[in-house]
Amino acid sequence: MELNRRTVIAGAAAAGMAATALGGTAHATGGKAPVKSLFGKLADGTKIYSWSLANGGTRLKVLSYGGIVQSLEIPDRHGKYKNVSLGFDNIEDYVAKTPYFGALIGRYGNRIAKGQFSLDGKSYQLSVNDGANSLHGGIKGFDKHVWDIEPFTKGSDVGLYLYYTSVDGEMGYPGTLKTKVTYTLTKHGDWRLDYEATTDKATVVNLTSHVYWNLAGEGSGSIYDHELKIAAARYTPVDSGLIPTGELAKVAGTPFDFRRTKTVGEDIRVANQQLLYGKGIDHNWALDKGITAKPEHVATLRDPSSGRTLKIATTEPGLQFYSGNFLDGTLVGPGGHIYRQGDALCLETQHFPDSPNQASFPSTVLRPGQTYRTTTVHSFDN
């Protein structure tokens, strides 16, 4: 499967068709060029910039630090805008406190057991930052680096090109990885992410975005009443360290069955060992469609109170659904509200966790001469 995962169509036409097929609301076109402003400075004096984009009824703010989505505003059924992503209003909190709010994740999204894997007969020890395991690239993953950003307008689309080069050995990963991520706001208000990467040595790669969604608005309280549907009949159970056991278990008869639309909170407090391990839901769904050449619809999230709806299409084979279990009341958002457990959720399109150690999982190996490409499209409706 190593070669199959590279056969992704990342072109604008393919992603646009996928987004339109999801039934996103078509708003007025004519997005303006992204606007750059100073957001803050790091301790060493490095300036961090915010880029503001608007198109098709969607408003997006992105930071050069971590490629972070600092806010994403969409209207409700009455046209009232709210920011539907959790975050902070200052760079200091992003550096010192953030649980990956809105960030680009790499080199490897999710967990790798004991921070170890072997490739071509050589063993690698990664940075460990989640108990005994490596999570989201290690202590200083892609979310904690400053990205180079170039704005663009292309036809009726507006967006940003984000660039970061991870040197050979960074966080223990082999190879110099050159990464480009494209954020596009389309004329329909869709937010599309196109990921690309190349390497000069065999390595493993699994890039994703870690937006915390609350479609009622950040700081508005629990998302347990949000309605969710996931096109997956199987998921990957985990051990007590949240590392997949290798099994592709059926969701039927478990709290992980979202094949029919149900509220996030319907089964989240059912006595189930997997929920105990995750302190809620923190699991990967093996999407029915598998790896696809163009983005296909895999999940729908809706807030009944506002009517705001998020539809996700992706080329990826997996979706990590995390129900905000570790939000503990110590973080305060830009609206001045404390974030508590269950106040947001993440839907991270990805390859499976710990794939470098699971031969039966889709491969995450990238070799010289190959180009890593994946695409995910977020469509909004009300």
Side-chain angles (χ1 to χ4, degrees):
M1 300 191 71
E2 182 178 323
L3 294 179
N4 289 341
R5 81 181 300 273
R6 312 296 170 202
T7 59
V8 175
I9 295 176
M17 287 189 293
T20 302
L22 293 183
T25 299
H27 299 278
T29 62
K32 297 180 180 179
V35 176
K36 179 182 180 181
S37 60
L38 182 65
F39 184 73
K41 294 182 181 179
L42 301 181
D44 64 1
T46 301
K47 293 180 178 179
I48 302 301
Y49 293 97
S50 170
W51 289 88
S52 298
L53 302 81
N55 202 11
T58 299
R59 303 167 181 169
L60 181 67
K61 288 187 178 181
V62 177
L63 304 182
S64 55
Y65 181 80
I68 288 170
V69 172
Q70 195 258 336
S71 69
L72 196 157
E73 298 181 347
I74 55 175
D76 66 7
R77 61 169 63 93
H78 303 296
K80 182 178 180 181
Y81 276 84
K82 280 192 177 179
N83 173 22
V84 296
S85 66
L86 270 57
F88 299 117
D89 60 6
N90 64 88
I91 190 59
E92 291 78 14
D93 280 351
Y94 278 112
V95 172
K97 302 178 181 180
T98 183
Y100 306 100
F101 282 156
L104 284 175
I105 303 297
R107 286 191 192 189
Y108 199 97
N110 222 304
R111 294 172 175 85
I112 295 180
K114 300 180 180 178
Q116 299 174 349
F117 70 93
S118 295
L119 180 58
D120 297 338
K122 185 175 181 179
S123 297
Y124 295 93
Q125 177 62 59
L126 307 175
S127 166
V128 171
N129 62 330
D130 183 54
N133 305 316
S134 183
L135 173 66
H136 293 332
I139 292 173
K140 191 175 182 180
F142 287 8
D143 60 295
K144 297 176 179 66
H145 286 277
V146 179
W147 290 65
D148 293 324
I149 296 182
E150 295 179 4
F152 69 85
T153 57
K154 188 182 298 183
S156 58
D157 294 341
V158 300
L160 303 171
Y161 298 122
L162 298 93
Y163 301 93
Y164 176 68
T165 297
S166 175
V167 299
D168 183 22
E170 185 174 281
M171 296 295 104
Y173 287 91
T176 294
L177 191 79
K178 295 183 177 180
T179 307
K180 175 185 178 183
V181 181
T182 304
Y183 287 178
T184 304
L185 282 186
T186 74
K187 65 180 181 180
H188 301 293
D190 303 333
W191 174 41
R192 187 178 73 241
L193 297 91
D194 293 311
Y195 303 87
E196 301 177 38
T198 58
T199 184
D200 60 359
K201 292 182 183 178
T203 191
V204 294
V205 187
N206 190 28
L207 306 180
T208 192
S209 172
H210 211 293
V211 172
Y212 282 67
W213 301 100
N214 186 323
L215 298 183
E218 71 82 25
S220 62
S222 173
I223 45 78
Y224 289 167
D225 62 348
H226 279 38
E227 298 167 348
L228 178 63
K229 185 176 183 179
I230 302 175
R234 294 180 182 273
Y235 78 110
T236 53
V238 296
D239 62 19
S240 59
L242 301 182
I243 297 295
T245 63
E247 179 187 7
L248 293 178
K250 294 180 179 180
V251 300
T254 77
F256 301 94
D257 192 351
F258 284 86
R259 292 174 297 172
R260 65 168 180 85
T261 300
K262 68 177 183 181
T263 63
V264 170
E266 181 173 325
D267 296 319
I268 205 165
R269 300 199 185 279
V270 170
N272 176 281
Q273 186 60 61
Q274 288 294 306
L275 294 179
L276 291 172
Y277 283 153
K279 296 181 173 58
I281 297 172
D282 192 2
H283 294 75
N284 170 68
W285 269 251
L287 299 170
D288 291 339
K289 72 174 190 62
I291 301 168
T292 47
K294 63 181 181 179
E296 294 187 12
H297 178 217
V298 297
T300 300
L301 180 70
R302 181 177 182 271
D303 169 42
S305 63
S306 67
R308 294 188 185 93
T309 301
L310 163 65
K311 296 181 181 180
I312 296 177
T314 189
T315 58
E316 290 281 62
L319 181 74
Q320 184 81 10
F321 169 22
Y322 166 59
S323 57
N325 316 321
F326 298 102
L327 297 174
D328 60 3
T330 62
L331 305 177
V332 180
H337 299 283
I338 292 174
Y339 295 151
R340 300 186 183 278
Q341 185 181 54
D343 279 359
L345 59 83
C346 301
L347 296 168
E348 305 155 65
T349 56
Q350 60 175 13
H351 267 54
F352 300 173
D354 201 36
S355 290
N357 297 310
Q358 304 278 356
S360 63
F361 287 178
S363 174
T364 54
V365 174
L366 179 69
R367 298 187 181 278
Q370 297 178 335
T371 300
Y372 170 100
R373 289 189 178 95
T374 73
T375 299
T376 295
V377 182
H378 303 80
S379 297
F380 305 102
D381 208 339
N382 51 30

